[in-house]
């Protein structure tokens, strides 16, 4: 089974509570999604490779670590995954950004892919796939499948809220992927929405509906 990291940080949990509140408006919602993306990326990127360089402080020369290479790719699942990108870029401004477009068929709840553009050379990059919601897990599993078909190897998945059903599916289909979860919720409802969840993440970030 793939490794799963369930976040327990009070700042992340506090911000998730604000996201859940149905009276939180688009502006605030978007800001919170970005901040949670940044805080979760801080943990998810704790294994980025470093190398030592020489630096001269006002006191003396020393060797000190910097991030090795510039090989990070952030791949949001459109649309809602976009909301987490800027927060991660604020930590790693040199990261490249790919896009993968998926939507859930409202009747079958199955994902439909409509776009995929990834930065080269994708096989050499650590890839962070973002989507605030992991519900049935279909969208994330298919998006990661597409990324692997194009050569992606070292993949992490970051979501703000997961349902147990989606987490199980993603672990089964992609046991090599590290999964970072902001909060693990109770279950899906009959429309495959997460309970208690936060509603439709894309609509709340972009003010649609
Ligand atoms: C939402 C969400 C995920 C997907 C999760 O996107 O952002 O991509 O549903 O559901 P799943 O785990 O059951 O596949 P949606 O299909 O609503 O598209 P949107 O982001 O364009 O609104
Ligand atoms: N997509 C969302 O945006 N919310 C859910 O609860 C499930 C899928």
């Amino acid at each position: 089974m793939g490794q799963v990291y369930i976040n327990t940080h009070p700042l992340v949990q506090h911000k998730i509570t604000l996201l859940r509140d149905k009276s939180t408006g688009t502006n605030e919602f978007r800001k919170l999604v970005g901040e949670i993306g940044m805080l979760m990326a801080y943990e998810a990127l704790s294994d980025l490779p470093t190398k030592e360089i020489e630096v001269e402080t006002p006191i003396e020369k020393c060797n000190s670590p910097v991030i090795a290479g510039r090989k990070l790719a952030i791949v949001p699942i459109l649309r809602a995954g976009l909301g987490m990108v800027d927060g991660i870029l604020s930590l790693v401004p040199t990261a490249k950004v790919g896009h993968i477009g998926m939507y859930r068929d409202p009747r079958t709840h199955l994902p439909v892919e409509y776009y995929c553009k990834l930065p080269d050379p994708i096989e050499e990059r650590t890839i962070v796939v973002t989507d605030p919601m992991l519900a049935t897990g279909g969208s994330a599993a298919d998006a990661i499948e597409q990324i692997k078909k194009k050569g992606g190897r070292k993949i992490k998945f970051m979501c703000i809220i997961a349902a147990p059903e989606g987490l199980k599916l993603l672990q089964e289909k992609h046991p090599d992927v590290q999964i970072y979860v902001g909060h693990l919720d109770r279950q899906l409802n009959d429309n495959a929405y997460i309970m208690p969840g936060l509603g439709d993440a894309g609509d709340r970030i972009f003010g649609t509906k």
Side-chain angles (χ1 to χ4, degrees), residues 104 133 135 192-194 199-202:
R104 288 202 319 181
M133 309 305 278
Y193 271 78
I194 300 174
D200 188 304

Side-chain angles (χ1 to χ4, degrees), residues 19 21-22 24-30 33 77-83 102-104 106 131-133 193 198-209:
L19 275 187
D21 189 336
K22 67 179 185 185
T24 298
T26 300
N27 189 15
E28 180 68 5
F29 192 92
R30 197 183 287 142
V33 168
I77 300 178
L78 307 181
R79 295 174 297 164
L82 280 174
M102 316 273 303
Y103 71 87
R104 288 202 319 181
D131 193 328
M133 309 305 278
Y193 271 78
L198 49 73
D200 188 304
D203 283 343
R204 294 195 65 188
I205 291 172
F206 295 107
T208 45
K209 193 108 196 167

